[in-house]
Amino acid sequence: MRNLLPFFTRIPVKGDFERVKNELWALPLLAPLTSALATLVLYLKLPLSNVLALLSLYLTIGLLHLDGLADWADGVMVKGDRERKVKAMKDLNTGIAGVFAVVMVLLLQVYSLPFLPFYALYLAELNSKFAMLFALATKKPLGRGLGAYFMEGMNGRQLAIGTVLYLLLLLPIVYIEPLSLASLLGLLAGAYVVHLSLENFSGLNGDCIGAVAEITRAGALLGMAVVWQVI
């Protein structure tokens, strides 16, 4: 797992990048680490804890996935054939679709947190990391970038181990609070991002994986907030 930290977080540890693609099964194990500081902020109920928690989260994981979300949204929303969509996604300039997507994802997270228990962001991060593993398991790379590199190492064994770890980290919380199952709605959102990526680009790259991570987390928090309020 240590080799995943330098790429998927801003935690200052050294790792071997060449081994990352063989340790993708450990992605769910990152959730307790990436959400730790944000969860502490929520637990202490500090003023503006929802905003501070989100800032703490991105301080830990960085903005790489948000950047990918912006590029992905630009590609999905542009009209035209596959080539034009891919070109828009790879454009260094961020369009209005990308800005809108990033703002909405941030707002959904900020405004969902006040309705949820302090451990909600942990659940959202857990689903986000598992959704990334699921997306990589499609083995349908777009181009020869990082997404393709990670997919080279993905196999049934890694997916199986990652799924077991995901369940082991999820089920104790669900046992204590069954409403936590609502966090699985985030996985539906992430799966839809995968579907849109394949439909629009015929494959997934790093930007698509970043979009999966961000939209899954936001979807998990929103889903939990709605269920918590209704029930």
Side-chain angles (χ1 to χ4, degrees), residues 63-78 85 88-103 105 201 206-208 210-212 214-215:
L63 303 178
L64 183 63
H65 298 329
L66 272 181
D67 181 64
L69 169 65
D71 293 338
W72 175 85
D74 282 338
V76 168
M77 293 303 293
V78 73
K85 288 176 174 292
M89 180 168 60
K90 293 184 177 181
D91 193 324
L92 295 179
N93 298 311
T94 301
I96 186 61
V99 174
F100 179 79
V102 169
V103 170
V105 161
F201 313 122
D207 291 332
C208 300
V212 168
E214 290 296 326
I215 292 178

PDB file of all heavy atoms in Angstrom, residues 63-78 85 88-103 105 201 206-208 210-212 214-215:
ATOM      1  N   LEU A  63      -5.545  17.813  -5.628  1.00  0.00           N
ATOM      2  CA  LEU A  63      -6.601  18.249  -6.548  1.00  0.00           C
ATOM      3  C   LEU A  63      -6.548  17.524  -7.888  1.00  0.00           C
ATOM      4  O   LEU A  63      -7.209  17.930  -8.840  1.00  0.00           O
ATOM      5  CB  LEU A  63      -6.487  19.759  -6.782  1.00  0.00           C
ATOM      6  CG  LEU A  63      -6.557  20.641  -5.529  1.00  0.00           C
ATOM      7  CD1 LEU A  63      -6.369  22.110  -5.905  1.00  0.00           C
ATOM      8  CD2 LEU A  63      -7.891  20.454  -4.802  1.00  0.00           C
ATOM      9  N   LEU A  64      -5.765  16.445  -7.951  1.00  0.00           N
ATOM     10  CA  LEU A  64      -5.594  15.730  -9.220  1.00  0.00           C
ATOM     11  C   LEU A  64      -6.922  15.195  -9.743  1.00  0.00           C
ATOM     12  O   LEU A  64      -7.225  15.304 -10.934  1.00  0.00           O
ATOM     13  CB  LEU A  64      -4.600  14.589  -9.040  1.00  0.00           C
ATOM     14  CG  LEU A  64      -4.263  13.775 -10.299  1.00  0.00           C
ATOM     15  CD1 LEU A  64      -3.585  14.667 -11.334  1.00  0.00           C
ATOM     16  CD2 LEU A  64      -3.362  12.588  -9.945  1.00  0.00           C
ATOM     17  N   HIS A  65      -7.728  14.611  -8.856  1.00  0.00           N
ATOM     18  CA  HIS A  65      -8.999  14.047  -9.296  1.00  0.00           C
ATOM     19  C   HIS A  65      -9.979  15.142  -9.714  1.00  0.00           C
ATOM     20  O   HIS A  65     -10.760  14.958 -10.654  1.00  0.00           O
ATOM     21  CB  HIS A  65      -9.620  13.196  -8.188  1.00  0.00           C
ATOM     22  CG  HIS A  65      -8.786  12.014  -7.799  1.00  0.00           C
ATOM     23  ND1 HIS A  65      -7.969  11.351  -8.699  1.00  0.00           N
ATOM     24  CD2 HIS A  65      -8.641  11.365  -6.610  1.00  0.00           C
ATOM     25  CE1 HIS A  65      -7.361  10.354  -8.091  1.00  0.00           C
ATOM     26  NE2 HIS A  65      -7.747  10.349  -6.823  1.00  0.00           N
ATOM     27  N   LEU A  66      -9.956  16.270  -9.016  1.00  0.00           N
ATOM     28  CA  LEU A  66     -10.816  17.396  -9.409  1.00  0.00           C
ATOM     29  C   LEU A  66     -10.438  17.909 -10.789  1.00  0.00           C
ATOM     30  O   LEU A  66     -11.300  18.263 -11.599  1.00  0.00           O
ATOM     31  CB  LEU A  66     -10.712  18.534  -8.384  1.00  0.00           C
ATOM     32  CG  LEU A  66     -11.652  18.505  -7.191  1.00  0.00           C
ATOM     33  CD1 LEU A  66     -11.407  19.724  -6.303  1.00  0.00           C
ATOM     34  CD2 LEU A  66     -13.109  18.452  -7.624  1.00  0.00           C
ATOM     35  N   ASP A  67      -9.142  17.960 -11.061  1.00  0.00           N
ATOM     36  CA  ASP A  67      -8.675  18.376 -12.377  1.00  0.00           C
ATOM     37  C   ASP A  67      -9.160  17.393 -13.441  1.00  0.00           C
ATOM     38  O   ASP A  67      -9.592  17.794 -14.530  1.00  0.00           O
ATOM     39  CB  ASP A  67      -7.151  18.461 -12.376  1.00  0.00           C
ATOM     40  CG  ASP A  67      -6.593  18.911 -13.719  1.00  0.00           C
ATOM     41  OD1 ASP A  67      -6.870  20.057 -14.122  1.00  0.00           O
ATOM     42  OD2 ASP A  67      -5.897  18.109 -14.373  1.00  0.00           O
ATOM     43  N   GLY A  68      -9.101  16.116 -13.126  1.00  0.00           N
ATOM     44  CA  GLY A  68      -9.595  15.105 -14.052  1.00  0.00           C
ATOM     45  C   GLY A  68     -11.088  15.238 -14.287  1.00  0.00           C
ATOM     46  O   GLY A  68     -11.567  15.086 -15.419  1.00  0.00           O
ATOM     47  N   LEU A  69     -11.836  15.541 -13.226  1.00  0.00           N
ATOM     48  CA  LEU A  69     -13.283  15.750 -13.351  1.00  0.00           C
ATOM     49  C   LEU A  69     -13.589  16.886 -14.316  1.00  0.00           C
ATOM     50  O   LEU A  69     -14.478  16.767 -15.169  1.00  0.00           O
ATOM     51  CB  LEU A  69     -13.884  16.049 -11.971  1.00  0.00           C
ATOM     52  CG  LEU A  69     -15.337  16.541 -11.959  1.00  0.00           C
ATOM     53  CD1 LEU A  69     -16.276  15.455 -12.477  1.00  0.00           C
ATOM     54  CD2 LEU A  69     -15.734  16.992 -10.555  1.00  0.00           C
ATOM     55  N   ALA A  70     -12.850  17.987 -14.196  1.00  0.00           N
ATOM     56  CA  ALA A  70     -13.070  19.140 -15.067  1.00  0.00           C
ATOM     57  C   ALA A  70     -12.822  18.771 -16.536  1.00  0.00           C
ATOM     58  O   ALA A  70     -13.628  19.098 -17.419  1.00  0.00           O
ATOM     59  CB  ALA A  70     -12.169  20.292 -14.643  1.00  0.00           C
ATOM     60  N   ASP A  71     -11.722  18.085 -16.789  1.00  0.00           N
ATOM     61  CA  ASP A  71     -11.397  17.685 -18.164  1.00  0.00           C
ATOM     62  C   ASP A  71     -12.438  16.706 -18.704  1.00  0.00           C
ATOM     63  O   ASP A  71     -12.852  16.793 -19.863  1.00  0.00           O
ATOM     64  CB  ASP A  71     -10.005  17.055 -18.221  1.00  0.00           C
ATOM     65  CG  ASP A  71      -8.901  18.054 -17.930  1.00  0.00           C
ATOM     66  OD1 ASP A  71      -9.137  19.263 -18.099  1.00  0.00           O
ATOM     67  OD2 ASP A  71      -7.804  17.622 -17.525  1.00  0.00           O
ATOM     68  N   TRP A  72     -12.839  15.762 -17.868  1.00  0.00           N
ATOM     69  CA  TRP A  72     -13.832  14.765 -18.271  1.00  0.00           C
ATOM     70  C   TRP A  72     -15.149  15.435 -18.645  1.00  0.00           C
ATOM     71  O   TRP A  72     -15.759  15.092 -19.678  1.00  0.00           O
ATOM     72  CB  TRP A  72     -14.043  13.770 -17.139  1.00  0.00           C
ATOM     73  CG  TRP A  72     -15.129  12.760 -17.382  1.00  0.00           C
ATOM     74  CD1 TRP A  72     -15.009  11.580 -18.051  1.00  0.00           C
ATOM     75  CD2 TRP A  72     -16.497  12.833 -16.941  1.00  0.00           C
ATOM     76  NE1 TRP A  72     -16.214  10.918 -18.061  1.00  0.00           N
ATOM     77  CE2 TRP A  72     -17.141  11.664 -17.391  1.00  0.00           C
ATOM     78  CE3 TRP A  72     -17.227  13.776 -16.211  1.00  0.00           C
ATOM     79  CZ2 TRP A  72     -18.497  11.403 -17.130  1.00  0.00           C
ATOM     80  CZ3 TRP A  72     -18.573  13.520 -15.956  1.00  0.00           C
ATOM     81  CH2 TRP A  72     -19.192  12.356 -16.414  1.00  0.00           C
ATOM     82  N   ALA A  73     -15.600  16.367 -17.822  1.00  0.00           N
ATOM     83  CA  ALA A  73     -16.873  17.051 -18.092  1.00  0.00           C
ATOM     84  C   ALA A  73     -16.808  17.843 -19.394  1.00  0.00           C
ATOM     85  O   ALA A  73     -17.782  17.869 -20.169  1.00  0.00           O
ATOM     86  CB  ALA A  73     -17.226  17.975 -16.931  1.00  0.00           C
ATOM     87  N   ASP A  74     -15.688  18.481 -19.652  1.00  0.00           N
ATOM     88  CA  ASP A  74     -15.530  19.215 -20.921  1.00  0.00           C
ATOM     89  C   ASP A  74     -15.674  18.267 -22.104  1.00  0.00           C
ATOM     90  O   ASP A  74     -16.313  18.607 -23.113  1.00  0.00           O
ATOM     91  CB  ASP A  74     -14.157  19.896 -20.972  1.00  0.00           C
ATOM     92  CG  ASP A  74     -14.104  21.173 -20.156  1.00  0.00           C
ATOM     93  OD1 ASP A  74     -15.169  21.754 -19.896  1.00  0.00           O
ATOM     94  OD2 ASP A  74     -12.989  21.576 -19.774  1.00  0.00           O
ATOM     95  N   GLY A  75     -15.097  17.089 -21.995  1.00  0.00           N
ATOM     96  CA  GLY A  75     -15.174  16.125 -23.086  1.00  0.00           C
ATOM     97  C   GLY A  75     -16.569  15.563 -23.279  1.00  0.00           C
ATOM     98  O   GLY A  75     -17.040  15.408 -24.410  1.00  0.00           O
ATOM     99  N   VAL A  76     -17.244  15.248 -22.179  1.00  0.00           N
ATOM    100  CA  VAL A  76     -18.582  14.662 -22.262  1.00  0.00           C
ATOM    101  C   VAL A  76     -19.594  15.660 -22.827  1.00  0.00           C
ATOM    102  O   VAL A  76     -20.472  15.295 -23.621  1.00  0.00           O
ATOM    103  CB  VAL A  76     -19.043  14.175 -20.863  1.00  0.00           C
ATOM    104  CG1 VAL A  76     -20.535  13.844 -20.857  1.00  0.00           C
ATOM    105  CG2 VAL A  76     -18.243  12.947 -20.451  1.00  0.00           C
ATOM    106  N   MET A  77     -19.473  16.923 -22.435  1.00  0.00           N
ATOM    107  CA  MET A  77     -20.484  17.909 -22.789  1.00  0.00           C
ATOM    108  C   MET A  77     -20.323  18.501 -24.185  1.00  0.00           C
ATOM    109  O   MET A  77     -21.273  19.062 -24.734  1.00  0.00           O
ATOM    110  CB  MET A  77     -20.490  19.042 -21.756  1.00  0.00           C
ATOM    111  CG  MET A  77     -20.956  18.609 -20.375  1.00  0.00           C
ATOM    112  SD  MET A  77     -22.615  17.861 -20.382  1.00  0.00           S
ATOM    113  CE  MET A  77     -23.612  19.284 -20.828  1.00  0.00           C
ATOM    114  N   VAL A  78     -19.135  18.415 -24.773  1.00  0.00           N
ATOM    115  CA  VAL A  78     -18.953  18.994 -26.097  1.00  0.00           C
ATOM    116  C   VAL A  78     -19.712  18.171 -27.132  1.00  0.00           C
ATOM    117  O   VAL A  78     -19.814  16.947 -27.028  1.00  0.00           O
ATOM    118  CB  VAL A  78     -17.447  19.075 -26.467  1.00  0.00           C
ATOM    119  CG1 VAL A  78     -16.894  17.687 -26.788  1.00  0.00           C
ATOM    120  CG2 VAL A  78     -17.231  20.005 -27.639  1.00  0.00           C
ATOM    121  N   LYS A  85     -14.613  14.877 -28.881  1.00  0.00           N
ATOM    122  CA  LYS A  85     -14.798  14.791 -27.430  1.00  0.00           C
ATOM    123  C   LYS A  85     -13.467  14.513 -26.730  1.00  0.00           C
ATOM    124  O   LYS A  85     -13.164  15.112 -25.693  1.00  0.00           O
ATOM    125  CB  LYS A  85     -15.827  13.705 -27.095  1.00  0.00           C
ATOM    126  CG  LYS A  85     -17.262  14.080 -27.447  1.00  0.00           C
ATOM    127  CD  LYS A  85     -18.206  12.937 -27.173  1.00  0.00           C
ATOM    128  CE  LYS A  85     -19.652  13.349 -27.379  1.00  0.00           C
ATOM    129  NZ  LYS A  85     -20.116  14.324 -26.366  1.00  0.00           N
ATOM    130  N   ALA A  88     -11.382  17.631 -26.739  1.00  0.00           N
ATOM    131  CA  ALA A  88     -11.845  18.596 -25.738  1.00  0.00           C
ATOM    132  C   ALA A  88     -11.404  18.187 -24.339  1.00  0.00           C
ATOM    133  O   ALA A  88     -11.027  19.021 -23.516  1.00  0.00           O
ATOM    134  CB  ALA A  88     -13.368  18.725 -25.798  1.00  0.00           C
ATOM    135  N   MET A  89     -11.427  16.884 -24.057  1.00  0.00           N
ATOM    136  CA  MET A  89     -11.017  16.409 -22.733  1.00  0.00           C
ATOM    137  C   MET A  89      -9.524  16.639 -22.504  1.00  0.00           C
ATOM    138  O   MET A  89      -9.102  16.948 -21.382  1.00  0.00           O
ATOM    139  CB  MET A  89     -11.355  14.923 -22.588  1.00  0.00           C
ATOM    140  CG  MET A  89     -10.973  14.338 -21.237  1.00  0.00           C
ATOM    141  SD  MET A  89     -11.653  12.697 -20.907  1.00  0.00           S
ATOM    142  CE  MET A  89     -10.939  11.747 -22.245  1.00  0.00           C
ATOM    143  N   LYS A  90      -8.736  16.500 -23.557  1.00  0.00           N
ATOM    144  CA  LYS A  90      -7.294  16.649 -23.420  1.00  0.00           C
ATOM    145  C   LYS A  90      -6.826  18.098 -23.562  1.00  0.00           C
ATOM    146  O   LYS A  90      -5.636  18.375 -23.357  1.00  0.00           O
ATOM    147  CB  LYS A  90      -6.595  15.776 -24.459  1.00  0.00           C
ATOM    148  CG  LYS A  90      -6.778  14.282 -24.209  1.00  0.00           C
ATOM    149  CD  LYS A  90      -6.000  13.444 -25.207  1.00  0.00           C
ATOM    150  CE  LYS A  90      -6.126  11.963 -24.910  1.00  0.00           C
ATOM    151  NZ  LYS A  90      -5.362  11.132 -25.860  1.00  0.00           N
ATOM    152  N   ASP A  91      -7.743  19.003 -23.887  1.00  0.00           N
ATOM    153  CA  ASP A  91      -7.392  20.417 -24.019  1.00  0.00           C
ATOM    154  C   ASP A  91      -6.916  20.951 -22.667  1.00  0.00           C
ATOM    155  O   ASP A  91      -7.530  20.695 -21.628  1.00  0.00           O
ATOM    156  CB  ASP A  91      -8.612  21.212 -24.486  1.00  0.00           C
ATOM    157  CG  ASP A  91      -8.253  22.616 -24.955  1.00  0.00           C
ATOM    158  OD1 ASP A  91      -7.334  23.226 -24.357  1.00  0.00           O
ATOM    159  OD2 ASP A  91      -8.875  23.106 -25.913  1.00  0.00           O
ATOM    160  N   LEU A  92      -5.825  21.678 -22.668  1.00  0.00           N
ATOM    161  CA  LEU A  92      -5.271  22.205 -21.419  1.00  0.00           C
ATOM    162  C   LEU A  92      -6.149  23.275 -20.798  1.00  0.00           C
ATOM    163  O   LEU A  92      -6.069  23.543 -19.591  1.00  0.00           O
ATOM    164  CB  LEU A  92      -3.866  22.773 -21.674  1.00  0.00           C
ATOM    165  CG  LEU A  92      -2.801  21.746 -22.100  1.00  0.00           C
ATOM    166  CD1 LEU A  92      -1.472  22.455 -22.347  1.00  0.00           C
ATOM    167  CD2 LEU A  92      -2.649  20.652 -21.059  1.00  0.00           C
ATOM    168  N   ASN A  93      -6.981  23.922 -21.601  1.00  0.00           N
ATOM    169  CA  ASN A  93      -7.885  24.950 -21.090  1.00  0.00           C
ATOM    170  C   ASN A  93      -9.154  24.308 -20.536  1.00  0.00           C
ATOM    171  O   ASN A  93      -9.697  23.377 -21.129  1.00  0.00           O
ATOM    172  CB  ASN A  93      -8.262  25.939 -22.198  1.00  0.00           C
ATOM    173  CG  ASN A  93      -7.048  26.680 -22.731  1.00  0.00           C
ATOM    174  OD1 ASN A  93      -6.258  27.216 -21.956  1.00  0.00           O
ATOM    175  ND2 ASN A  93      -6.898  26.703 -24.052  1.00  0.00           N
ATOM    176  N   THR A  94      -9.631  24.800 -19.403  1.00  0.00           N
ATOM    177  CA  THR A  94     -10.854  24.287 -18.792  1.00  0.00           C
ATOM    178  C   THR A  94     -12.048  25.092 -19.265  1.00  0.00           C
ATOM    179  O   THR A  94     -12.063  26.310 -19.174  1.00  0.00           O
ATOM    180  CB  THR A  94     -10.770  24.360 -17.257  1.00  0.00           C
ATOM    181  OG1 THR A  94      -9.643  23.603 -16.810  1.00  0.00           O
ATOM    182  CG2 THR A  94     -12.035  23.811 -16.618  1.00  0.00           C
ATOM    183  N   GLY A  95     -13.066  24.395 -19.777  1.00  0.00           N
ATOM    184  CA  GLY A  95     -14.271  25.050 -20.274  1.00  0.00           C
ATOM    185  C   GLY A  95     -15.320  25.217 -19.197  1.00  0.00           C
ATOM    186  O   GLY A  95     -15.142  24.809 -18.048  1.00  0.00           O
ATOM    187  N   ILE A  96     -16.449  25.794 -19.583  1.00  0.00           N
ATOM    188  CA  ILE A  96     -17.519  26.067 -18.631  1.00  0.00           C
ATOM    189  C   ILE A  96     -18.096  24.773 -18.061  1.00  0.00           C
ATOM    190  O   ILE A  96     -18.505  24.721 -16.896  1.00  0.00           O
ATOM    191  CB  ILE A  96     -18.630  26.907 -19.302  1.00  0.00           C
ATOM    192  CG1 ILE A  96     -19.694  27.327 -18.270  1.00  0.00           C
ATOM    193  CG2 ILE A  96     -19.267  26.147 -20.457  1.00  0.00           C
ATOM    194  CD1 ILE A  96     -19.145  28.186 -17.151  1.00  0.00           C
ATOM    195  N   ALA A  97     -18.120  23.692 -18.864  1.00  0.00           N
ATOM    196  CA  ALA A  97     -18.632  22.417 -18.363  1.00  0.00           C
ATOM    197  C   ALA A  97     -17.754  21.891 -17.233  1.00  0.00           C
ATOM    198  O   ALA A  97     -18.257  21.377 -16.226  1.00  0.00           O
ATOM    199  CB  ALA A  97     -18.706  21.394 -19.502  1.00  0.00           C
ATOM    200  N   GLY A  98     -16.449  22.032 -17.385  1.00  0.00           N
ATOM    201  CA  GLY A  98     -15.530  21.585 -16.349  1.00  0.00           C
ATOM    202  C   GLY A  98     -15.674  22.398 -15.072  1.00  0.00           C
ATOM    203  O   GLY A  98     -15.679  21.841 -13.966  1.00  0.00           O
ATOM    204  N   VAL A  99     -15.793  23.704 -15.225  1.00  0.00           N
ATOM    205  CA  VAL A  99     -15.980  24.579 -14.058  1.00  0.00           C
ATOM    206  C   VAL A  99     -17.275  24.232 -13.331  1.00  0.00           C
ATOM    207  O   VAL A  99     -17.313  24.123 -12.107  1.00  0.00           O
ATOM    208  CB  VAL A  99     -15.980  26.057 -14.490  1.00  0.00           C
ATOM    209  CG1 VAL A  99     -16.333  26.961 -13.308  1.00  0.00           C
ATOM    210  CG2 VAL A  99     -14.626  26.454 -15.066  1.00  0.00           C
ATOM    211  N   PHE A 100     -18.339  24.053 -14.107  1.00  0.00           N
ATOM    212  CA  PHE A 100     -19.640  23.721 -13.523  1.00  0.00           C
ATOM    213  C   PHE A 100     -19.571  22.406 -12.757  1.00  0.00           C
ATOM    214  O   PHE A 100     -20.086  22.296 -11.630  1.00  0.00           O
ATOM    215  CB  PHE A 100     -20.697  23.629 -14.625  1.00  0.00           C
ATOM    216  CG  PHE A 100     -22.062  23.259 -14.131  1.00  0.00           C
ATOM    217  CD1 PHE A 100     -22.886  24.202 -13.541  1.00  0.00           C
ATOM    218  CD2 PHE A 100     -22.518  21.951 -14.255  1.00  0.00           C
ATOM    219  CE1 PHE A 100     -24.148  23.855 -13.084  1.00  0.00           C
ATOM    220  CE2 PHE A 100     -23.778  21.586 -13.798  1.00  0.00           C
ATOM    221  CZ  PHE A 100     -24.605  22.548 -13.212  1.00  0.00           C
ATOM    222  N   ALA A 101     -18.934  21.381 -13.349  1.00  0.00           N
ATOM    223  CA  ALA A 101     -18.845  20.075 -12.703  1.00  0.00           C
ATOM    224  C   ALA A 101     -18.095  20.153 -11.381  1.00  0.00           C
ATOM    225  O   ALA A 101     -18.521  19.582 -10.371  1.00  0.00           O
ATOM    226  CB  ALA A 101     -18.164  19.078 -13.641  1.00  0.00           C
ATOM    227  N   VAL A 102     -16.976  20.853 -11.368  1.00  0.00           N
ATOM    228  CA  VAL A 102     -16.178  20.976 -10.144  1.00  0.00           C
ATOM    229  C   VAL A 102     -16.958  21.719  -9.061  1.00  0.00           C
ATOM    230  O   VAL A 102     -17.000  21.285  -7.899  1.00  0.00           O
ATOM    231  CB  VAL A 102     -14.846  21.693 -10.432  1.00  0.00           C
ATOM    232  CG1 VAL A 102     -14.137  22.064  -9.138  1.00  0.00           C
ATOM    233  CG2 VAL A 102     -13.942  20.813 -11.284  1.00  0.00           C
ATOM    234  N   VAL A 103     -17.593  22.824  -9.434  1.00  0.00           N
ATOM    235  CA  VAL A 103     -18.360  23.609  -8.459  1.00  0.00           C
ATOM    236  C   VAL A 103     -19.501  22.780  -7.880  1.00  0.00           C
ATOM    237  O   VAL A 103     -19.735  22.785  -6.662  1.00  0.00           O
ATOM    238  CB  VAL A 103     -18.894  24.900  -9.102  1.00  0.00           C
ATOM    239  CG1 VAL A 103     -19.894  25.600  -8.175  1.00  0.00           C
ATOM    240  CG2 VAL A 103     -17.753  25.842  -9.431  1.00  0.00           C
ATOM    241  N   VAL A 105     -19.815  19.481  -7.657  1.00  0.00           N
ATOM    242  CA  VAL A 105     -19.309  18.400  -6.801  1.00  0.00           C
ATOM    243  C   VAL A 105     -18.889  18.944  -5.440  1.00  0.00           C
ATOM    244  O   VAL A 105     -19.181  18.346  -4.396  1.00  0.00           O
ATOM    245  CB  VAL A 105     -18.136  17.669  -7.497  1.00  0.00           C
ATOM    246  CG1 VAL A 105     -17.296  16.891  -6.481  1.00  0.00           C
ATOM    247  CG2 VAL A 105     -18.660  16.728  -8.568  1.00  0.00           C
ATOM    248  N   PHE A 201     -16.120   8.195 -25.114  1.00  0.00           N
ATOM    249  CA  PHE A 201     -14.703   8.118 -25.485  1.00  0.00           C
ATOM    250  C   PHE A 201     -14.259   6.711 -25.906  1.00  0.00           C
ATOM    251  O   PHE A 201     -13.126   6.542 -26.352  1.00  0.00           O
ATOM    252  CB  PHE A 201     -13.818   8.577 -24.321  1.00  0.00           C
ATOM    253  CG  PHE A 201     -14.258   9.852 -23.681  1.00  0.00           C
ATOM    254  CD1 PHE A 201     -14.568   9.903 -22.329  1.00  0.00           C
ATOM    255  CD2 PHE A 201     -14.379  11.021 -24.419  1.00  0.00           C
ATOM    256  CE1 PHE A 201     -14.970  11.080 -21.717  1.00  0.00           C
ATOM    257  CE2 PHE A 201     -14.787  12.208 -23.826  1.00  0.00           C
ATOM    258  CZ  PHE A 201     -15.090  12.233 -22.475  1.00  0.00           C
ATOM    259  N   GLY A 206      -6.890   8.681 -17.293  1.00  0.00           N
ATOM    260  CA  GLY A 206      -6.750   9.206 -15.941  1.00  0.00           C
ATOM    261  C   GLY A 206      -7.812  10.224 -15.581  1.00  0.00           C
ATOM    262  O   GLY A 206      -8.275  10.279 -14.434  1.00  0.00           O
ATOM    263  N   ASP A 207      -8.221  11.051 -16.556  1.00  0.00           N
ATOM    264  CA  ASP A 207      -9.268  12.039 -16.295  1.00  0.00           C
ATOM    265  C   ASP A 207     -10.585  11.356 -15.942  1.00  0.00           C
ATOM    266  O   ASP A 207     -11.307  11.788 -15.029  1.00  0.00           O
ATOM    267  CB  ASP A 207      -9.473  12.938 -17.520  1.00  0.00           C
ATOM    268  CG  ASP A 207      -8.295  13.860 -17.766  1.00  0.00           C
ATOM    269  OD1 ASP A 207      -7.592  14.209 -16.797  1.00  0.00           O
ATOM    270  OD2 ASP A 207      -8.071  14.237 -18.936  1.00  0.00           O
ATOM    271  N   CYS A 208     -10.902  10.294 -16.653  1.00  0.00           N
ATOM    272  CA  CYS A 208     -12.133   9.550 -16.380  1.00  0.00           C
ATOM    273  C   CYS A 208     -12.093   8.923 -14.985  1.00  0.00           C
ATOM    274  O   CYS A 208     -13.097   8.952 -14.254  1.00  0.00           O
ATOM    275  CB  CYS A 208     -12.339   8.467 -17.430  1.00  0.00           C
ATOM    276  SG  CYS A 208     -12.477   9.056 -19.131  1.00  0.00           S
ATOM    277  N   GLY A 210     -10.397  10.029 -12.444  1.00  0.00           N
ATOM    278  CA  GLY A 210     -10.561  11.115 -11.494  1.00  0.00           C
ATOM    279  C   GLY A 210     -12.010  11.521 -11.343  1.00  0.00           C
ATOM    280  O   GLY A 210     -12.496  11.794 -10.236  1.00  0.00           O
ATOM    281  N   ALA A 211     -12.733  11.561 -12.468  1.00  0.00           N
ATOM    282  CA  ALA A 211     -14.156  11.904 -12.423  1.00  0.00           C
ATOM    283  C   ALA A 211     -14.937  10.848 -11.648  1.00  0.00           C
ATOM    284  O   ALA A 211     -15.848  11.182 -10.871  1.00  0.00           O
ATOM    285  CB  ALA A 211     -14.698  12.035 -13.847  1.00  0.00           C
ATOM    286  N   VAL A 212     -14.594   9.589 -11.840  1.00  0.00           N
ATOM    287  CA  VAL A 212     -15.238   8.504 -11.099  1.00  0.00           C
ATOM    288  C   VAL A 212     -15.049   8.704  -9.599  1.00  0.00           C
ATOM    289  O   VAL A 212     -16.002   8.588  -8.811  1.00  0.00           O
ATOM    290  CB  VAL A 212     -14.663   7.135 -11.525  1.00  0.00           C
ATOM    291  CG1 VAL A 212     -15.106   6.039 -10.552  1.00  0.00           C
ATOM    292  CG2 VAL A 212     -15.107   6.789 -12.936  1.00  0.00           C
ATOM    293  N   GLU A 214     -14.363  11.497  -7.844  1.00  0.00           N
ATOM    294  CA  GLU A 214     -15.033  12.679  -7.306  1.00  0.00           C
ATOM    295  C   GLU A 214     -16.546  12.530  -7.289  1.00  0.00           C
ATOM    296  O   GLU A 214     -17.212  12.871  -6.306  1.00  0.00           O
ATOM    297  CB  GLU A 214     -14.638  13.913  -8.120  1.00  0.00           C
ATOM    298  CG  GLU A 214     -13.203  14.352  -7.943  1.00  0.00           C
ATOM    299  CD  GLU A 214     -12.913  14.812  -6.520  1.00  0.00           C
ATOM    300  OE1 GLU A 214     -13.805  15.390  -5.868  1.00  0.00           O
ATOM    301  OE2 GLU A 214     -11.783  14.582  -6.061  1.00  0.00           O
ATOM    302  N   ILE A 215     -17.107  12.024  -8.366  1.00  0.00           N
ATOM    303  CA  ILE A 215     -18.564  11.913  -8.454  1.00  0.00           C
ATOM    304  C   ILE A 215     -19.083  10.808  -7.540  1.00  0.00           C
ATOM    305  O   ILE A 215     -20.169  10.930  -6.963  1.00  0.00           O
ATOM    306  CB  ILE A 215     -18.984  11.695  -9.917  1.00  0.00           C
ATOM    307  CG1 ILE A 215     -18.699  12.972 -10.719  1.00  0.00           C
ATOM    308  CG2 ILE A 215     -20.464  11.328 -10.019  1.00  0.00           C
ATOM    309  CD1 ILE A 215     -19.016  12.891 -12.186  1.00  0.00           C
TER     310      ILE A 215
END
